[in-house]
C-alpha cells in the first residue's frame, strides 16, 4: 500500500523477507519501548537554507551565522568526520526585517537589526543567549533610538558599545551596560560621545575601546572606559591611509586597507596592506606590510597569535596570515602559497576564527572551514548550503535516500542514530526519485535513470523519455511515467525495470492533464488540482471511477487494497483527509476528516496513515487510525522537521524528509 511518495515497498528482485526492517533494528526496540504512543525517535536537521552574511564563533567553538533577513543558525563544524555529519545545533528566526551587524562574544550574539514597527522601521539591538546551543533564545532587546544607521558594535564584560550615524548625520559612539548572563534585562544607556569621522569598526577589551574611523583617511581613537559613564580619550593615532577592517589581540591592533608604500606602486595604483598598532605604553604605529597580491580587503580576524586577512586578487579569494613579535611587528607567515578559497560569486565575504580553526562565510556559496597546520592554513570542510529540502524518499532494508537538490543516503540500522553515508550531486535538474527495491529511479526532464541504492553515483540504466511524474508498482514491478500533452491530456508510459535496463512497454492516453500518480497491484490512481481518477491497468487502462472536488484542491493521494485516500485543502488552506471507495464508479466519499495541518503528503500502511503538512508556520505529522475506513480518527499529532515534504511508513516507523531526516515511532 503506497502513496505517491512511498514508492519503495518491494524490489526489482527482492523477496518477501526483505520487506522487513534490518535485524539490527530489533536490538533498539527496547530503548524506544519506554515511550508509549507515536513519538520522535531521531532527527537530523540539515543546515538552514540561509546565506551566511555575518559570522562569529562562540567560546565553545560553535559557528554562529546570520543571513540578512533576521535568521540565525548555530552549527558544529569542529566535530565533522566521515562518520559524523555536520550538525545544526539550533536555529532562531524572526530577529528582524534585516540583520545589519553581528558580534559573537563568549556565548552571546549581539545583533543590530532593522525591524518593522507599526509606525516606521526602527533599529534594535538584540542579545541572543547561546548557553544552550540547541535552544538559542533572545535575552534582551533595545531600541537604538539615537541612531539612523549602525556601522559597528562590540562588548566586553559589563560594557556594550554601538557606533553609527544619528538622525542629524552626526557620528556617534554610545555606551550601554551589558546585562549579566542569566539576568534578563535591557541594556541601560551610560554615556555617548561624538566621533570625528564615520565609525568603521569597534573593539573593546579590558575596558579599552579602539575605534577605527575613516573618511578619505583613517585614524584610531583609543578610549579609556574604566568608568563607562565618563569615557576618556587616551590617544588619536593617524593611520595615513584608508582602512576598512580591524582586528585585535590584547594590546596589538591590526588594520587593513590601502595606503602609500614608499618605493612601491601597484598595477591598479592602489597598494593594499596592513599596519599594526601597539596600545602600550602609548598607542603608536609599529609596522606596516603590503598584502600582495590582494587588490581588495574583505575582512580580518585574529586567532592564536596570528592575524588573518581575507581579500580578492585576480578574481580569486585568498587568505593571508600574519604573525607578530612581542613589540607588535608584523611578518607574513611562511606558507607554500596563499590559501585559496571557494569562489564567492559576488557575495559578501566574512571571516571568524578561534584557536586553530577559521570560518569563511560567502553567502550562497556557503561556509568554508580552514584549519591551521604545520604548512599553514588549509581547507578542511566545504559546506554548501542545501537550497532545497528533500521532496521524495526511497528506502530498502536499513538504507534511506532523501532526494532534493542532491541524493543523501542514510543508514538507519540504529533508528535512534541515523548515519549519513554519502551525498551525491545530481547532473541536471531532477524532478523526483522513487524507490524500486534496492534501486532508485530518478526522473529528469527528458530521461529516466536507474541507480543502485548502495552506489548512488553510478547510473545503471537510462531511458530517454519525457515526463513530469513517475510511480513504481512494487507488487507488479512496473514503472509508470506521466507526461502532460499540449492538448491537456496525459500520456502514461508503462516501463519494465530490470537490474541493468529500463524498457518502455506500453502507452496509455487519459483525457485530462494529471499531475501526480501512485500505483499498486495494477491499479493506478492519478490526480490534478480538482480531480482524482482510478484505473485498472493491464493490456489497456480501464477507468474504474472518478471524483471531482468543486471546492477542494487535491494535495496528495494514496491507495490501499480497498480505498483511495486523498488529502486536500479548502480556500482557507484548511486540510482534510478524504476516504474514497474503490468499488464505486464515482469513487464514493466514505469519510471526511478535518486535519490540523494542510495535508501536504500522505503515507499509508496496515491501517495507519501519516499525514505531514503545515499550520501556523509549523510543520507537523498527524497519525491517523484507518481500522474503520468509514470513521478515521486522529491518534496523535507532533511537530516535525522544517519544510517536511515526503513521508513513508515501514512497519511501526515513519520516515519524514524535509530540511533533514526525522524518524517517528508509530507504536
Amino acid at each position: 500500500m503506497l502513496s505517491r511518495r512511498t514508492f519503495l515497498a518491494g524490489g526489482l528482485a527482492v523477496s518477501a523477507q526483505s520487506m522487513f526492517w534490518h535485524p539490527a533494528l530489533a536490538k533498539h526496540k527496547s530503548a524506544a519501548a519506554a515511550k508509549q504512543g507515536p513519538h520522535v525517535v531521531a532527527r537530523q536537521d540539515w543546515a538552514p537554507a540561509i546565506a551566511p552574511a555575518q559570522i562569529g564563533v562562540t567560546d565553545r567553538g560553535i559557528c554562529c551565522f546570520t543571513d540578512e533577513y533576521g535568521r540565525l543558525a548555530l552549527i558544529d563544524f569542529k566535530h565533522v568526520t566521515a562518520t559524523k555529519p555536520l550538525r545544526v545545533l539550533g536555529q532562531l528566526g524572526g530577529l528582524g526585517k534585516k540583520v545589519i551587524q553581528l558580534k559573537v562574544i563568549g556565548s552571546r550574539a549581539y545583533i543590530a537589526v532593522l525591524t518593522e514597527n507599526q509606525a516606521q522601521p526602527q533599529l534594535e539591538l538584540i542579545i541572543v543567549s547561546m548557553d544552550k546551543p540547541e535552544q538559542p533564545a533572545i535575552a534582551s532587546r533595545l531600541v537604538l533610538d539615537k541612531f539612523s544607521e549602525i556601522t559597528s558594535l562590540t562588548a566586553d564584560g559589563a560594557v556594550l558599545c554601538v557606533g553609527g550615524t544619528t538622525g542629524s548625520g552626526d557620528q556617534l559612539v554610545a555606551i550601554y551596560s551589558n546585562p549579566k548572563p542569566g539576568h534578563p534585562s535591557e541594556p541601560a544607556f551610560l554615556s555617548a560621545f561624538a566621533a570625528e569621522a564615520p565609525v568603521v569598526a569597534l573593539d573593546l577589551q579590558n575596558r579599552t575601546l579602539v575605534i577605527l574611523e575613516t573618511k578619505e583617511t583613517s585614524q584610531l581613537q583609543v578610549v579609556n572606559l574604566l568608568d563607562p559613564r565618563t569615557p576618556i580619550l587616551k590617544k588619536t593615532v593617524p593611520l595615513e591611509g584608508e582602512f576598512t577592517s580591524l582586528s585585535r589581540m590584547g594590546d596589538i591592533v591590526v588594520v587593513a586597507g590601502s595606503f602609500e608604500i614608499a618605493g612601491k606602486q601597484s598595477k591598479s595604483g592602489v597598494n593594499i596592506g596592513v599596519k599594526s598598532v601597539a596600545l602600550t605604553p602609548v598607542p603608536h604605529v609599529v609596522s606596516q606590510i603590503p598584502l600582495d597580491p590582494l587588490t581588495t580587503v574583505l575582512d580580518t580576524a585574529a586567532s592564536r597569535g596570528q592575524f588573518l586577512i581575507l581579500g580578492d586578487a585576480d578574481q580569486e579569494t585568498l587568505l593571508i596570515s600574519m604573525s607578530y613579535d612581542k613589540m607588535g611587528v608584523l611578518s607574513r607567515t611562511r606558507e607554500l602559497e596563499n590559501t585559496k578559497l571557494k569562489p564567492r560569486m559576488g557575495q559578501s565575504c566574512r571571516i571568524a576564527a578561534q584557536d586553530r580553526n577559521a570560518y569563511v562565510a560567502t553567502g550562497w556559496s556557503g561556509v568554508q572551514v580552514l584549519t591551521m597546520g604545520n604548512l599553514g592554513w588549509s581547507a578542511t570542510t566545504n559546506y554548501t548550503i542545501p537550497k532545497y529540502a528533500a521532496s521524495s524518499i526511497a528506502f530498502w532494508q536499513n538504507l534511506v535516500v532523501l532526494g532534493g537538490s542532491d541524493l543523501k543516503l542514510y543508514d538507519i540500522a540504529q533508528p535512534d542514530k541515523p548515519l549519513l553515508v554519502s551525498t551525491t550531486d545530481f547532473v541536471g535538474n531532477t524532478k523526483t526519485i522513487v524507490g524500486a527495491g534496492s534501486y532508485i529511479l530518478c526522473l529528469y526532464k527528458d530521461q529516466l535513470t536507474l541507480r543502485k541504492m548502495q552506489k548512488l553515483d553510478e547510473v545503471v540504466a537510462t531511458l530517454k523519455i519525457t515526463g513530469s511524474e513517475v510511480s513504481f508498482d512494487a507488487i507488479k514491478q512496473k514503472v509508470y511515467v506521466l507526461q502532460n500533452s499540449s492538448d491537456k491530456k496525459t500520456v502514461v508510459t508503462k516501463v519494465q525495470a530490470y537490474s541493468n535496463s529500463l524498457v518502455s512497454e506500453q502507452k496509455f492516453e487519459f483525457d485530462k492533464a494529471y499531475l501526480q500518480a501512485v500505483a499498486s497491484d495494477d491499479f493506478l490512481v492519478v490526480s490534478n488540482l480538482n480531480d482524482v481518477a482510478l484505473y485498472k491497468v493491464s493490456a489497456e487502462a480501464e477507468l474504474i471511477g472518478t471524483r471531482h472536488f468543486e471546492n477542494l484542491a487535491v494535495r496528495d493521494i494514496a491507495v490501499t487494497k480497498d480505498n483511495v485516500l486523498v488529502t486536500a485543502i479548502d480556500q482557507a488552506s484548511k486540510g482534510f483527509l478524504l476516504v474514497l471507495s474503490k468499488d464505486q464508479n464515482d469513487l464514493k466519499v466514505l469519510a471526511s476528516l478535518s486535519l490540523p495541518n494542510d495535508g501536504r503528503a500522505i503515507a499509508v500502511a496496515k491501517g495507519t496513515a501519516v499525514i505531514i503538512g503545515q499550520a501556523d508556520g509549523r510543520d507537523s505529522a498527524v497519525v491517523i487510525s484507518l481500522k474503520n475506513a468509514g470513521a478515521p480518527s486522529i491518534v496523535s499529532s507532533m511537530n516535525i522537521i522544517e519544510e517536511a515534504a515526503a513521508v513513508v511508513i515501514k512497519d511501526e516507523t515513519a520516515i519524514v524528509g524535509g530540511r533533514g531526516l526525522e524518524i517517528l515511532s508509530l507504536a
Side-chain angles (χ1 to χ4, degrees):
M1 295 178 288
L2 304 171
S3 77
R4 181 168 63 94
R5 294 180 176 83
T6 318
F7 301 110
L8 185 56
L12 296 177
V14 183
S15 66
Q17 285 80 4
S18 70
M19 296 295 291
F20 294 87
W21 281 117
H22 191 279
L25 292 179
K27 299 178 183 179
H28 297 270
K29 286 185 177 180
S30 59
K35 292 185 178 181
Q36 298 297 319
H39 60 274
V40 175
V41 175
R43 173 170 170 167
Q44 279 196 7
D45 292 274
W46 296 346
I50 67 175
Q54 313 259 0
I55 194 165
V57 187
T58 72
D59 53 1
R60 293 167 57 183
I62 296 169
C63 185
C64 169
F65 64 78
T66 60
D67 67 357
E68 294 182 352
Y69 307 108
R71 294 177 292 183
L72 173 146
L74 292 170
I75 300 180
D76 182 7
F77 285 105
K78 290 183 66 176
H79 301 100
V80 176
T81 66
T83 59
K84 203 170 183 181
L86 179 148
R87 291 181 61 209
V88 180
L89 299 179
Q91 301 180 50
L92 189 62
L95 298 176
K97 180 180 179 182
K98 183 176 182 179
V99 174
I100 300 169
Q101 292 285 327
L102 167 70
K103 188 76 170 182
V104 177
I105 300 172
S107 61
R108 283 180 160 189
Y110 300 85
I111 309 171
V113 301
L114 180 68
T115 63
E116 284 188 313
N117 198 341
Q118 292 182 352
Q120 61 182 10
Q122 64 184 16
L123 294 169
E124 288 188 8
L125 173 66
I126 298 175
I127 301 177
V128 176
S129 172
M130 300 179 290
D131 291 323
K132 296 180 179 179
E134 296 80 7
Q135 298 176 331
I138 295 176
S140 64
R141 303 183 79 118
L142 174 68
V143 176
L144 298 171
D145 52 7
K146 299 182 184 300
F147 295 92
S148 62
E149 180 184 4
I150 304 298
T151 55
S152 186
L153 52 85
T154 187
D156 184 44
V159 180
L160 172 62
C161 304
V162 180
T165 306
T166 67
S168 59
D170 297 325
Q171 306 304 315
L172 186 72
V173 176
I175 316 298
Y176 300 88
S177 65
N178 189 15
K180 292 182 180 180
H183 295 77
S185 62
E186 286 189 359
F189 174 74
L190 300 177
S191 62
F193 57 89
E196 296 180 7
V199 176
V200 174
L202 298 173
D203 187 277
L204 177 63
Q205 296 179 35
N206 301 321
R207 291 296 179 98
T208 298
L209 175 65
V210 177
I211 309 168
L212 175 60
E213 303 174 2
T214 298
K215 185 177 182 181
E216 297 180 356
T217 186
S218 300
Q219 64 181 23
L220 279 185
Q221 299 271 31
V222 183
V223 180
N224 186 324
L225 291 182
L226 285 176
D227 181 0
R229 297 180 184 276
T230 311
I232 300 174
L233 177 63
K234 292 177 61 176
K235 182 76 173 180
T236 299
V237 183
L239 295 174
E240 297 180 354
E242 187 174 353
F243 295 87
T244 57
S245 188
L246 173 150
S247 286
R248 176 181 173 186
M249 293 193 71
D251 289 333
I252 304 300
V253 175
V254 163
V255 291
S258 60
F259 58 94
E260 292 185 6
I261 300 176
K264 184 178 184 301
Q265 184 67 35
S266 68
K267 294 179 181 180
S268 63
V270 177
N271 293 306
I272 301 299
V274 292
K275 290 187 178 184
S276 63
V277 177
L279 300 180
T280 58
V282 177
H284 62 287
V285 176
V286 176
S287 65
Q288 64 182 40
I289 189 170
L291 290 174
D292 299 331
L294 296 188
T295 57
T296 304
V297 172
L298 299 172
D299 201 9
T300 59
S303 178
R304 290 185 69 89
Q306 288 193 3
F307 289 98
L308 307 177
I309 296 90
L310 195 64
D312 284 339
D314 296 329
Q315 299 182 341
E316 290 183 324
T317 301
L318 303 179
L319 180 70
I320 296 176
S321 57
M322 297 274 179
S323 60
Y324 62 94
D325 62 18
K326 62 182 180 179
M327 302 298 293
V329 177
L330 296 171
S331 60
R332 291 180 72 153
T333 56
R334 295 182 179 181
E335 299 186 24
L336 296 179
E337 60 181 12
N338 296 317
T339 305
K340 295 182 180 180
L341 304 176
K342 60 197 301 186
R344 63 189 185 96
M345 303 172 64
Q347 299 285 309
S348 63
C349 200
R350 303 298 297 271
I351 184 172
Q354 186 191 68
D355 296 332
R356 305 178 70 87
N357 294 312
Y359 308 86
V360 180
T362 51
W364 281 113
S365 296
V367 177
Q368 188 165 13
V369 183
L370 309 172
T371 300
M372 184 173 66
N374 294 331
L375 299 178
W377 293 88
S378 60
T380 54
T381 303
N382 283 313
Y383 164 61
T384 301
I385 297 169
K387 295 185 179 180
Y388 306 107
S391 58
S392 47
I393 302 179
F395 70 89
W396 177 69
Q397 291 188 352
N398 60 305
L399 299 179
V400 174
V401 178
L402 299 188
S405 52
D406 53 24
L407 294 174
K408 294 188 184 296
L409 175 66
Y410 291 87
D411 185 336
I412 60 168
Q414 298 183 39
D416 58 333
K417 296 178 181 179
L419 175 65
L420 178 62
V421 177
S422 66
T423 299
T424 303
D425 292 330
F426 281 120
V427 179
N429 294 322
T430 183
K431 292 180 179 293
T432 188
I433 70 165
V434 299
S438 60
Y439 295 79
I440 67 166
L441 295 157
C442 301
L443 179 64
Y444 298 83
K445 181 180 179 181
D446 57 359
Q447 67 178 8
L448 180 68
T449 65
L450 182 69
R451 302 169 187 246
K452 195 166 181 61
M453 196 171 290
Q454 293 176 317
K455 295 182 179 180
L456 292 174
D457 57 340
E458 296 181 13
V459 176
V460 177
T462 300
L463 176 66
K464 291 294 183 181
I465 189 170
T466 301
S468 58
E469 175 74 320
V470 61
S471 179
F472 179 68
D473 185 339
I475 298 175
K476 299 299 183 180
Q477 306 290 293
K478 300 292 184 181
V479 181
Y480 296 91
V481 179
L482 270 67
Q483 176 189 359
N484 292 326
S485 61
S486 57
D487 56 354
K488 296 183 179 181
K489 294 184 178 182
T490 300
V491 176
V492 178
T493 303
K494 185 163 69 171
V495 177
Q496 180 66 57
Y498 299 96
S499 61
N500 59 356
S501 64
L502 296 169
V503 180
S504 177
E505 290 189 339
Q506 292 174 280
K507 289 190 176 183
F508 310 103
E509 185 175 271
F510 300 157
D511 59 1
K512 288 186 179 180
Y514 292 106
L515 305 175
Q516 53 193 27
V518 57
S520 178
D521 198 18
D522 282 339
F523 284 98
L524 182 65
V525 183
V526 291
S527 69
N528 56 27
L529 186 62
N530 299 109
D531 298 281
V532 175
L534 174 65
Y535 287 85
K536 179 69 174 179
V537 181
S538 54
E540 301 291 337
E542 177 190 358
L543 179 62
I544 303 299
T546 62
R547 166 62 63 175
H548 177 77
F549 301 99
E550 189 66 36
N551 298 312
L552 295 174
V554 175
R555 302 224 61 190
D556 201 12
I557 51 177
V559 60
T560 69
K561 179 181 178 182
D562 300 313
N563 303 106
V564 173
L565 305 179
V566 178
T567 61
I569 54 172
D570 62 14
Q571 295 179 352
S573 296
K574 172 65 179 175
F576 296 90
L577 169 66
L578 305 170
V579 182
L580 311 183
S581 172
K582 286 172 64 176
D583 59 2
Q584 300 289 331
N585 291 336
D586 60 352
L587 299 182
K588 181 180 178 182
V589 178
L590 301 179
S592 175
L593 179 67
S594 178
L595 299 174
N597 62 32
D598 59 6
R600 180 170 183 176
I602 181 174
V604 187
K606 297 181 179 179
T608 298
V610 177
I611 299 175
I612 61 173
Q614 274 198 347
D616 299 324
R618 291 183 176 274
D619 291 83
S620 66
V622 183
V623 181
I624 297 173
S625 172
L626 294 172
K627 292 181 179 179
N628 181 356
S633 59
I634 294 177
V635 176
S636 177
S637 179
M638 66 192 85
N639 292 331
I640 55 172
I641 204 159
E642 284 188 354
E643 298 184 41
V647 58
V648 295
I649 296 178
K650 184 62 176 173
D651 291 341
E652 296 180 343
T653 304
I655 305 168
V656 179
R659 193 153 290 285
L661 170 74
E662 187 155 12
I663 299 176
L664 311 176
S665 170
L666 304 179

